[in-house]
Amino acid sequence: MGNEEAVFFSRVLTEMTLSFHIIYATIGVGIPLMIMMAQWVGIKKHDEHYILLARRWTRGYVITVAVGVVTGTAIGLQLSLLWPNFMELAGNVIALPLFMETFAFFFEAIFLGIYLYTWDRFENQKKHLLLLIPVALGASFSAIFITIVNAFMNAPQGFDIIDGHLVNIKPLLAMFNPAMPTKVAHVLVSAYMTSAFVLASIAAFRLLKGSNHIYHKKALFFTMKVGLIFTIATVIIGDFSGKYLAEYQPEKLAAAEWHFESEGKAPLILYGILEDGEVKYAFKIPFALSILAHGNPNSEVIGLNDFQKDETPPLYIHYLFDAMITIGMLMLVLSITYIVGLWKKWTYVRSKWYRLLIVIGGPLSILAIEAGWWLDEVGRQPWVLRGILKTKDAATSSGQVDTMLLLFAGLYIILGIGSNIVLSRMFRKNTIEQELADRELEEAGELY
Amino acid sequence: MTLEVIGISVLWLFLFGYIIVASIDFGAGFFNAYSLYRGKQHILTKIIQRYLSPVWEVTNVFLVFFFVGIVGFFPKTAYYYGTTLLVPVSIAIILLAIRGSYYAFTTYGGLKHKIYVFLYGVSGLFIPASLSIVITISEGGFVNMEQSGPILDYFKLFTSPLSWSIVVLSLTAVLYISAVFLTWYADHANDMDATELMRKYALIWAGPCILTAAGIIVEMHGHNYEHFTRLIQLWWLFAISLVLFIGTVILLWKRHRYGLAFGLLTGQFALAFFAYGISHYPYLLYTYLTIYDSFTNEAMATALIIAFIAGLALLIPSLILLLRLFLFNKEYVQGKQSNHP
């Protein structure tokens, strides 16, 4: 296998692993927070339904977390296996957050084990809830530390290269790079948002399937409310991300926006196609790109003409950008109309078609996460470490990457199908009606 | 002590932790599958569910900690080991995934089928076998430096008596460590049948384990003489280790104080593992890479060590809590409390 092939297959394998892992990782970051809030509300209001929400979500969460652990281990090792040159360099400068991530993960794993196997072990439910805090914190901090590494790849700093040697290394400066604040915030809130909508999607699905139980309605209201809050946060932080890009990675923004010439009063181009370098059938919002980039409708936005051709990312990332923000806006509208509709007692909120939209919203949110990460990774090309190391120079020289690609594809197919079967079986067999009846029997049994 | 030595000691300690906790996990899976095949499944399944289900993710983090730490402290290892280990480590990842999905799908998800128990059991033997290749490669002689980079010589690896001895040692050690631990755990749980069964397995695997371990030292004589002489210089550490081994076997034989027996076993493996590690010094990969020429810069090393100390301050109390709840809590161990969500 030539080096070009090794690079190609390494990219495909990394992309596949990350695309698969990010589903479970995103859910793994967001769901503990949802469980925590539901259990808290349940304890506060003495509402058995919210406690049950927490319990049932936990059961599902354990399964996604297990798959996340497995795929996370895979990507952790694959970084060294597929990109040894990158990791050698990165190890010198950005090893600190990677190392801290394992601690966060350690913390999460320990308390998840404890939380999971201590339901009903405490007289005081609040004590049990306390055990969940380190789980949620560990999950979120894992995301923070890993995203810091990714931010570093986009805006490397904290070292100098003199005669091919790394010198003056400052680990903290490398961690707190310019890309870090927006990226970390964006990853966190979008994970919370996605998790809320995935759970809302499940509740809506049950209601659509004919259950009219108050439990599902409470679940839907709760998750849509939380989803709305985090969607608003995601939109605001998304705007900051645009400003970060304009300042530090203008070529990524320009490629995502099909912004070819540097100019002021730049319009935002949505959708459309490229024909011989001409943008056609696109939807243009005047001044919007200048506002997104600098907060000023007149300011100049750097276009692709200011960069060398071999140092700009592929133009198809425009569609990834479109997909991400379109879904984000849809979810914003959906959650606002839900909350307002419920408040005003409008009937469409209970209609089948509206619930169907909420059901679709869950998978769509995950798709937005995928599009966002592809945009981030492909948008950084041809660099693996922007301005320092090109992707083609970072890959392994091993000749067996293609075989490994097949092996892992098989693994992810099995894990994906398996987790879906197990999760749907688990909740279909034990419906909420069934579980509530069982619990009543159990409690009655304890009385005698 | 130099930063290099502190770094490698920390990593070696965590690798040791992984070897012990993972061996318990791997061996338990194998015994479980074997007893299912022999029609005695109920004896072990419960114990595996009680102890392993809450802690398997923690076990996994020990491994992640080691490989993230080694790239952090010794970034050049990413280049040498990353390039050469693509295939064996990828296979290990797949096998680890099988184990993870067993917990996810069977223990948590309620999917019951004999084939999973079988896969879970067998993966427990293949993971140590595939990971032990890393130790073999580190002895040198299996990696060639070519124009494109380091290349692993598979033919040499698979025809080397040393690599097969190390594979066999990893298997016997896994079964022995696991059996001794489970004897104690079953006894702790007042499960007489399981205790007797596991005690029998422990005694069966004790002999092969110590024989293969001794065999490695002999193999080393032919493969890497420099390392062999350094091993012999540390004979006294191995001697104490052997005494602890004998102590464990006597306790098991007399059905006496299984907890102490497991303690002695931990000591035995710790001594042998560290003696091996010290004798390996200063090489990470024989002749190509030492801990000095692969070491990271001072700023990063200091930052990592500070992070490590801060991390330990969080980790140790949490680990103690975990063990108290699932290992030392008699009611839980004996199955009087069932608190699954």
Side-chain angles (χ1 to χ4, degrees), chain A residues 59 62 73 116 119 121 169, chain B residues 60 108 110 297 300 329 339 341:
Chain A
R59 276 182 227 145
V62 180
T73 310
L116 212 56
W119 276 95
R121 197 145 147 186
I169 289 163
Chain B
N60 195 62
Y108 305 142
N297 52 87
M300 181 57 76
N329 183 317
N339 303 300

Side-chain angles (χ1 to χ4, degrees), chain A residues 15-304:
Chain A
E15 181 165 6
M16 187 173 75
T17 303
L18 278 174
S19 301
F20 189 70
H21 174 65
I22 200 63
I23 300 172
Y24 295 89
T26 302
I27 293 175
V29 169
I31 302 254
L33 187 73
M34 305 298 140
I35 300 174
M36 212 165 86
M37 290 193 284
Q39 202 178 353
W40 173 248
V41 172
I43 294 170
K44 276 274 132 185
K45 290 188 176 172
H46 296 288
D47 189 331
E48 182 73 356
H49 289 143
Y50 282 95
I51 302 275
L52 263 180
L53 263 182
R55 277 189 107 114
R56 287 169 71 89
W57 286 346
T58 306
R59 276 182 227 145
Y61 171 64
V62 180
I63 297 192
T64 59
V65 119
V67 179
V69 166
V70 163
T71 53
T73 310
I75 187 63
L77 280 163
Q78 279 178 358
L79 281 179
S80 290
L81 296 173
L82 299 173
W83 310 99
N85 302 312
F86 164 65
M87 282 307 279
E88 188 186 339
L89 201 163
N92 273 301
V93 194
I94 200 69
L96 184 60
L98 274 173
F99 193 60
M100 281 154 67
E101 195 266 351
T102 58
F103 276 107
F105 180 36
F106 235 132
F107 205 50
E108 180 192 349
I110 289 173
F111 280 92
L112 179 64
I114 297 176
Y115 178 77
L116 212 56
Y117 286 85
T118 51
W119 276 95
D120 301 336
R121 197 145 147 186
F122 298 98
E123 279 290 317
N124 185 350
Q125 270 270 351
K126 279 185 193 161
K127 279 191 187 160
H128 186 236
L129 179 61
L130 278 181
L131 290 170
L132 192 58
I133 294 173
V135 179
L137 277 180
S140 290
F141 271 96
S142 293
I144 292 172
F145 290 133
I146 282 302
T147 310
I148 287 178
V149 178
N150 182 269
F152 173 80
M153 293 162 75
N154 282 283
Q157 67 169 33
F159 62 96
D160 295 310
I161 296 180
I162 295 175
D163 301 331
H165 290 285
L166 290 166
V167 289
N168 296 333
I169 289 163
K170 300 185 184 71
L172 285 178
L173 198 64
M175 274 178 75
F176 293 95
N177 57 68
M180 178 253 181
T182 45
K183 221 171 249 299
V184 165
H186 191 65
V187 165
L188 274 186
V189 292
S190 61
Y192 301 144
M193 164 190 164
T194 303
S195 302
F197 287 132
V198 166
L199 294 172
S201 160
I202 296 168
F205 180 73
R206 282 281 146 227
L207 290 169
L208 198 63
K209 278 279 170 180
S211 169
N212 204 23
H213 204 285
I214 183 78
Y215 168 89
H216 296 304
K217 291 179 184 164
K218 283 179 182 172
L220 189 60
F221 178 59
F222 177 78
T223 49
M224 288 302 274
K225 209 166 48 178
V226 174
L228 173 62
I229 294 168
F230 285 115
T231 310
I232 294 170
T234 306
V235 171
I236 295 169
I237 291 161
D239 180 64
F240 285 125
S241 302
K243 295 184 173 42
Y244 155 77
L245 283 178
E247 182 75 27
Y248 295 95
Q249 282 182 286
E251 76 283 7
K252 193 191 253 185
L253 186 68
E257 304 301 331
W258 287 352
H259 185 61
F260 298 110
E261 309 286 331
S262 298
E263 57 176 5
K265 299 181 182 156
L268 184 72
I269 295 176
L270 286 173
Y271 320 114
I273 55 164
L274 266 186
E275 254 181 32
D276 308 322
E278 294 263 324
V279 180
K280 283 192 177 164
Y281 316 114
F283 186 68
K284 285 187 187 178
I285 310 175
F287 307 111
L289 184 57
S290 283
I291 295 174
L292 176 69
H294 301 289
N296 176 347
N298 295 316
S299 60
E300 178 171 316
V301 181
I302 301 175
L304 286 172

